[in-house]
């Protein structure tokens, strides 16, 4: 119910945007309003192989994702992004989520944000230890292909001066969906470029929970290599190291190693493990397979996410085909492997195959 209350904000924003557009048309030389609109529609079907006999084998979802933004005098920004999901599995249900709805104000070196916003403090592709305000990473779907991630409800202030950037934010869990295990979080982040290293220091605490601290870095080496890493302390130390290599042909290769402590915060939703877990992520892919007719419309990616302790893993394949600028189709395949008591081998299915059609405007 709380999310439905946000829907009038979209109508209000759209009305204001139309008014702004009209004013801009009458005085183009003094345009003060800039508007943007977008809508995405996805029809997605997932088939689960070798499920127990009593479980439905197919999950069908239709997702409608409207968004609108209004910028006034390059100082005030209003943005809203919603997603309506209609799912059919063992029953049919519809839900409306608010991905982002916030107001932003720029004043000199300061930017202020109020509302639900997506931030990304972590440097990892598939994992993060330092992304204390980030949406949760899903290693088998790090790009969030259905745009289901939601921002955090926050008050945030950013100060940027030369190479220095300081952010202070407070996020509340009062409006979070049930089951997300979020807490009220206060965090501060200092970012600076030092000898080519994009470095951040993060500190804060969760209400009724733990204090935390983190260090992140990203470094571009030459024209082909990028390395990144995170070290975070929350009860114990979590470490992430990764790299990305881009060939001249456009093929990219990503590798990450992640070892979090065996604590409730880092292992939420994961079966109990003995000792400290160790994970690996490997990805290879290319957008526009070849610059030739019939090939450049295709994108291809393959990944492996592995638990190095119990020797279980999930293989992931993504294939995307564009039809013009607004329509694409895709295939997403996940194949888990491992013992019945292992993390990835414990999946109830032997394969999950998703196919869908996406429209974007």
């Amino acid at each position: 119910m709380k999310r439905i209350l946000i829907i009038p904000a979209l109508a209000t924003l759209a009305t204001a945007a139309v008014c702004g557009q009209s004013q801009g048309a009458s005085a183009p030389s003094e345009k003060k309003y800039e508007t943007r609109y977008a809508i995405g529609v996805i029809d997605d079907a997932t088939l689960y192989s070798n499920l127990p006999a009593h479980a439905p084998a197919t999950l069908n979802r239709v997702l409608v994702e409207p968004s609108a933004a209004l910028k006034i005098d390059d100082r005030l920004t209003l943005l809203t992004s919603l997603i309506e999901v209609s799912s059919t599995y063992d029953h049919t249900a519809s839900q409306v989520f608010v991905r982002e709805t916030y107001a932003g104000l720029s004043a000199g070196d300061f930017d202020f944000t109020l509302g639900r916003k997506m931030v990304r403090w972590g440097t990892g592709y598939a994992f993060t230890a330092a992304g204390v305000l980030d949406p949760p990473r899903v290693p088998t779907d790090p790009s969030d292909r259905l745009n289901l991630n939601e921002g955090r409800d926050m008050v945030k202030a950013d100060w940027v001066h030369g190479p220095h950037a300081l952010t202070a934010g407070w996020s509340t869990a009062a409006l979070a969906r049930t089951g997300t295990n979020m807490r009220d979080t206060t965090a501060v982040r200092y970012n600076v470029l030092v000898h080519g290293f994009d470095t951040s220091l993060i500190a804060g605490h969760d209400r009724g929970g733990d204090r935390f601290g983190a260090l992140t870095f990203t470094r571009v080496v030459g024209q082909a290599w990028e390395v990144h890493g995170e070290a975070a302390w929350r009860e114990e130390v979590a470490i992430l190291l990764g790299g990305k290599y881009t060939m001249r042909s456009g093929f990219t290769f990503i590798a990450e190693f992640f070892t979090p402590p065996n604590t409730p915060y880092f292992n939420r939703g994961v079966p109990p493990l003995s000792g400290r877990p160790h994970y690996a992520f490997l990805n290879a892919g290319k957008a526009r397979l070849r610059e030739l007719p019939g090939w450049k419309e295709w994108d291809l990616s393959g990944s492996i996410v592995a638990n190095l302790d119990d020797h279980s893993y999930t293989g992931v394949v993504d294939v995307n085909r564009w039809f013009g600028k607004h329509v694409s189709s895709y295939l997403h395949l996940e194949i888990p492997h491992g013992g019945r008591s292992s993390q990835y081998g414990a999946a109830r299915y032997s394969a999950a195959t998703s196919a869908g059609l996406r429209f974007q405007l």
Side-chain angles (χ1 to χ4, degrees):
M1 295 297 295
K2 296 177 181 176
R3 277 147 194 83
I4 296 178
L5 296 177
I6 306 296
I7 295 179
L10 178 62
T12 302
L13 178 55
T15 302
V18 170
C19 294
Q21 213 172 26
S22 299
Q23 179 167 341
S26 60
S29 60
E30 298 180 1
K31 185 177 181 180
K32 295 183 178 181
Y33 301 94
E34 179 183 345
T35 60
R36 290 185 293 110
Y37 310 93
I39 187 168
V41 180
I42 301 175
D43 189 358
D44 180 90
T46 301
L47 174 65
Y48 297 98
S49 302
N50 296 325
L51 278 176
H54 64 277
T58 304
L59 168 63
N60 292 299
R61 287 179 288 187
V62 176
L63 304 94
V64 181
E65 304 168 354
S67 64
L70 170 65
K71 181 176 285 188
I72 304 174
D73 289 335
D74 290 328
R75 296 187 61 194
L76 177 64
T77 300
L78 304 175
L79 182 144
T80 188
S81 176
L82 309 179
I83 179 169
E84 193 272 341
V85 184
S86 298
S87 303
T88 302
Y89 189 51
D90 53 355
H91 66 282
T92 299
S94 295
Q95 293 177 293
V96 176
F97 303 130
V98 180
R99 300 190 73 237
E100 291 187 295
T101 291
Y102 66 87
L105 176 65
S106 297
D109 293 338
F110 292 90
D111 293 309
F112 302 94
T113 302
L114 173 64
R116 176 168 295 184
K117 182 175 173 59
M118 306 269 277
V119 300
R120 187 181 177 101
W121 287 2
T123 62
Y125 290 88
F127 307 101
T128 184
V132 294
L133 296 179
D134 298 18
R137 302 283 200 279
V138 179
T140 55
D141 184 22
S143 64
D144 183 28
R145 61 188 178 84
L146 297 180
N147 299 321
L148 292 175
N149 282 341
E150 299 175 66
R152 294 283 299 266
D153 303 300
M154 66 180 68
V155 178
K156 184 168 69 76
D158 297 270
W159 173 76
V160 180
H161 185 76
H164 306 280
L166 182 66
T167 300
W170 175 77
S171 174
T172 178
L175 300 178
R177 281 191 290 134
T178 304
T180 55
N181 296 319
M182 291 183 183
R183 297 178 179 177
D184 293 356
T185 301
T186 302
V188 178
R189 175 179 182 256
Y190 171 66
N191 176 257
V192 65
L193 187 66
V194 181
H195 300 297
F197 285 85
D198 188 355
T199 308
S200 295
L201 299 174
I202 299 170
H205 74 277
D206 289 335
R207 182 179 180 182
D210 313 313
R211 291 182 174 86
F212 54 80
L215 166 69
T216 73
F217 73 88
T218 302
R219 178 73 157 90
V220 176
V221 182
Q223 297 182 347
W225 285 96
E226 175 257 22
V227 294
H228 58 271
E230 303 176 11
W233 179 85
R234 188 188 289 258
E235 296 185 48
E236 298 181 41
V237 175
I239 301 293
L240 167 72
L241 293 173
K244 179 179 179 181
Y245 176 72
T246 303
M247 301 177 64
R248 291 185 178 180
S249 61
F251 277 95
T252 61
F253 301 89
I254 301 171
E256 287 187 342
F257 170 79
F258 180 52
T259 174
N262 186 13
T263 60
Y265 176 83
F266 284 103
N267 284 333
R268 288 174 295 185
V270 177
L273 303 173
S274 58
R276 172 181 287 270
H278 302 81
Y279 297 99
F281 171 77
L282 300 173
N283 171 270
K286 187 179 188 301
R288 301 171 65 96
L289 283 181
R290 296 182 65 187
E291 295 300 323
L292 294 173
W295 287 92
K296 59 185 178 181
E297 296 86 0
W298 292 86
D299 305 332
L300 179 65
S301 174
S303 304
I304 293 179
V305 183
N307 183 316
L308 302 179
D309 300 290
D310 62 21
H311 308 293
S312 66
Y313 64 87
T314 295
V316 182
V317 176
D318 284 288
V319 181
N320 190 81
R321 171 60 157 92
W322 283 94
F323 302 92
K325 296 181 179 180
H326 304 295
V327 179
S328 63
S329 62
Y330 63 85
L331 175 71
H332 176 82
L333 174 64
E334 298 181 15
I335 303 177
H337 177 81
R340 292 182 177 274
S341 61
S342 64
Q343 180 175 346
Y344 295 111
R348 300 174 63 200
Y349 52 86
S350 61
T353 306
S354 299
L357 190 66
R358 179 185 288 110
F359 170 78
Q360 296 170 297
L361 183 64

